[in-house]
Amino acid sequence: MSLRDKVAVTGIGETAYRRGATRSSTELQLEAALLAIADAGLAPREIDGIIPIGITGAPAEELATNLGVAELRYSALTPMGGASSIAAIQTAAAAISAGLCNHVLIAAGRNVTSGARAGVRIHQMPQFHLVTEFELPLGAIAPAQLYAPMARRHMELFGTTSEQLGEIAVTVRGHALLNDNALMKKPITLADHQGSRMIADPFRLLDCSLESDGGAAFVISAADQALDMPQPRVLVSGIAEGHPDSPSAITQRPDMTRLGIAKGAPRAFAMAGVTPADIQVAEIYDCFTWVVLCQLEDMGFCGKGEGGAFVQGGRLRLGGALPVNTHGGLLSQAHMLGLNHVVELVRQLRHQADRRQVQGVQLGLATGYGDLGDGAIAIMRRG
Amino acid sequence: MAETSKPAPHPSPLTQPYWDGTAQGVLRIQHCAACGKPRHYPRYICDACHSFDTVWKDSTGRGTVHSWTVAHHAFHPGFAGELPYALVVVDLEEGVRALGRFAEPSGNGLRLGLPVRVGFVQGGGGFALPVFTPEG
């Protein structure tokens, strides 16, 4: 049995994204959850599966209590950092297809203004205990520093340049300017990127994603039930997670320039029965510019080492051959753990993306990346 | 001033031999006592033969540069006074990789394949941490 077209994303919701939110991560998570449930035309009590995302926000039991869920039939965790929300779609699809439950809520809330910043958060995650013991004391603290050697090796092996990374930053910023719910409001140029201060070589400030507060959520339902729900149906046609060799430490990985999504993407494309050439919009997890470039290679949009040339020439811009991160992504909209990528893909496929709508789009994908290299990919189609 | 002190490792029985080694100026790598496969960082079992039996062997401390980064931003206040500093990933002769500081803080001279040799520098909590210097 395949999970192809078995479930649909039936509801989406996101709070306003900001810095300095006064609401707690759990309140933001609940606010987004209520928006997504209402968008799906459901009452909160009808939710019967919950997968909370991230290490902030509430666990499933607390969400169920607050929402007044009548019968929680299924709960799960997919602790894969930024790949969690799309990995959660896979487990939700499996559970719904097996008849365990009907409507799974996937929700996250973050208030990093009052909580720990990125360099602290990852060391609170148990899967990183060896990184925390062996790498943190050396001064390898934040994701920027842990991922930078992957990008550096890619640049040395393949000639990838900082300007090519900058092309991604400039592209995604341009898209954010078309999104009223994006934190970044000012255009940037390649010169701005090149002039931004170095954080962890080769990553400059404008290669790095935002720290922001907010909540995002979506609802997964059986495909046949989705026909009777209010929104245009967006089917999950291909879904997979993939883990790199040596998932718990980048330094020990046989090939540092290949991410977990390289293993998952072929499964997702095969499930959906499509190829990268068929994809009309791609919302690609962008914690750092280089991570977008590497995922494009690992998904097969171009060969390994060809990503630098691939991202040039406006290909990723709205109006280009493969518009990427049409909402502004983690780089320029908000860091919402990639739930905002799923929300945006659904908006695009519903044709509800306003000024940034990719005209006539029928098929797209969203990816997640996290936990030092884990990947997840969801291929969705309007139908 | 716990806030500005550098983070220190918290050794466990699994990892204590590594830190005992660095305190003596030796880079020790865990090996499977059954099949001989080296592994780093330390783990409970061998991923090849699944034996729980381990033996610690002294590394030659020699290797070649696999990749690197240069830190220009202090993500922890304990490192603010050291910027910039270079972190280097090294392919050790034993067949595993190690992360260490690079002796030249600016990272000047780094390239893939550069031969390096380990030394040690005192880090948080008084623990000895690996620092790699170009050979010759």
Side-chain angles (χ1 to χ4, degrees), chain A residues 4 132 139 170 174 213 222 312:
Chain A
R4 176 177 174 172
T132 300
V170 171
D213 304 336
Q312 288 186 301

PDB file of all heavy atoms in Angstrom, chain A residues 4 132 139 170 174 213 222 312:
ATOM      1  N   ARG A   4       0.206   7.538  -1.224  1.00  0.00           N
ATOM      2  CA  ARG A   4      -0.070   8.524  -2.273  1.00  0.00           C
ATOM      3  C   ARG A   4      -1.541   8.938  -2.292  1.00  0.00           C
ATOM      4  O   ARG A   4      -2.429   8.111  -2.413  1.00  0.00           O
ATOM      5  CB  ARG A   4       0.306   7.922  -3.637  1.00  0.00           C
ATOM      6  CG  ARG A   4      -0.025   8.795  -4.826  1.00  0.00           C
ATOM      7  CD  ARG A   4       0.463   8.102  -6.088  1.00  0.00           C
ATOM      8  NE  ARG A   4       0.080   8.797  -7.301  1.00  0.00           N
ATOM      9  CZ  ARG A   4       0.538   8.453  -8.506  1.00  0.00           C
ATOM     10  NH1 ARG A   4       1.367   7.434  -8.636  1.00  0.00           N
ATOM     11  NH2 ARG A   4       0.153   9.109  -9.571  1.00  0.00           N
ATOM     12  N   THR A 132      27.204  18.134  22.339  1.00  0.00           N
ATOM     13  CA  THR A 132      27.314  19.029  23.497  1.00  0.00           C
ATOM     14  C   THR A 132      28.566  18.723  24.306  1.00  0.00           C
ATOM     15  O   THR A 132      29.247  19.625  24.789  1.00  0.00           O
ATOM     16  CB  THR A 132      26.050  18.885  24.379  1.00  0.00           C
ATOM     17  OG1 THR A 132      24.915  19.241  23.587  1.00  0.00           O
ATOM     18  CG2 THR A 132      26.125  19.802  25.582  1.00  0.00           C
ATOM     19  N   GLY A 139      33.762  25.662  21.361  1.00  0.00           N
ATOM     20  CA  GLY A 139      33.193  26.886  20.813  1.00  0.00           C
ATOM     21  C   GLY A 139      32.336  26.628  19.586  1.00  0.00           C
ATOM     22  O   GLY A 139      32.010  27.545  18.853  1.00  0.00           O
ATOM     23  N   VAL A 170      18.815  37.032  -1.458  1.00  0.00           N
ATOM     24  CA  VAL A 170      18.167  38.160  -2.145  1.00  0.00           C
ATOM     25  C   VAL A 170      16.816  37.721  -2.721  1.00  0.00           C
ATOM     26  O   VAL A 170      15.814  38.444  -2.630  1.00  0.00           O
ATOM     27  CB  VAL A 170      19.095  38.703  -3.255  1.00  0.00           C
ATOM     28  CG1 VAL A 170      18.365  39.727  -4.114  1.00  0.00           C
ATOM     29  CG2 VAL A 170      20.353  39.316  -2.635  1.00  0.00           C
ATOM     30  N   GLY A 174      13.105  39.132  -1.552  1.00  0.00           N
ATOM     31  CA  GLY A 174      12.169  39.728  -2.508  1.00  0.00           C
ATOM     32  C   GLY A 174      10.765  39.158  -2.359  1.00  0.00           C
ATOM     33  O   GLY A 174       9.768  39.875  -2.467  1.00  0.00           O
ATOM     34  N   ASP A 213       9.069  35.044  16.927  1.00  0.00           N
ATOM     35  CA  ASP A 213       8.007  34.475  17.764  1.00  0.00           C
ATOM     36  C   ASP A 213       6.750  34.275  16.918  1.00  0.00           C
ATOM     37  O   ASP A 213       6.468  35.063  16.016  1.00  0.00           O
ATOM     38  CB  ASP A 213       7.658  35.431  18.912  1.00  0.00           C
ATOM     39  CG  ASP A 213       8.872  35.795  19.761  1.00  0.00           C
ATOM     40  OD1 ASP A 213       9.842  35.012  19.771  1.00  0.00           O
ATOM     41  OD2 ASP A 213       8.828  36.852  20.415  1.00  0.00           O
ATOM     42  N   ALA A 222      -8.359  12.637   6.032  1.00  0.00           N
ATOM     43  CA  ALA A 222      -8.448  11.662   4.943  1.00  0.00           C
ATOM     44  C   ALA A 222      -8.876  12.352   3.654  1.00  0.00           C
ATOM     45  O   ALA A 222      -9.710  13.264   3.660  1.00  0.00           O
ATOM     46  CB  ALA A 222      -9.446  10.562   5.309  1.00  0.00           C
ATOM     47  N   GLN A 312      21.486  30.486  -9.752  1.00  0.00           N
ATOM     48  CA  GLN A 312      21.739  31.789 -10.352  1.00  0.00           C
ATOM     49  C   GLN A 312      20.761  32.091 -11.489  1.00  0.00           C
ATOM     50  O   GLN A 312      20.044  31.214 -11.964  1.00  0.00           O
ATOM     51  CB  GLN A 312      23.177  31.841 -10.887  1.00  0.00           C
ATOM     52  CG  GLN A 312      24.202  31.923  -9.763  1.00  0.00           C
ATOM     53  CD  GLN A 312      25.613  32.120 -10.279  1.00  0.00           C
ATOM     54  OE1 GLN A 312      26.104  31.293 -11.038  1.00  0.00           O
ATOM     55  NE2 GLN A 312      26.247  33.205  -9.875  1.00  0.00           N
TER      56      GLN A 312
END
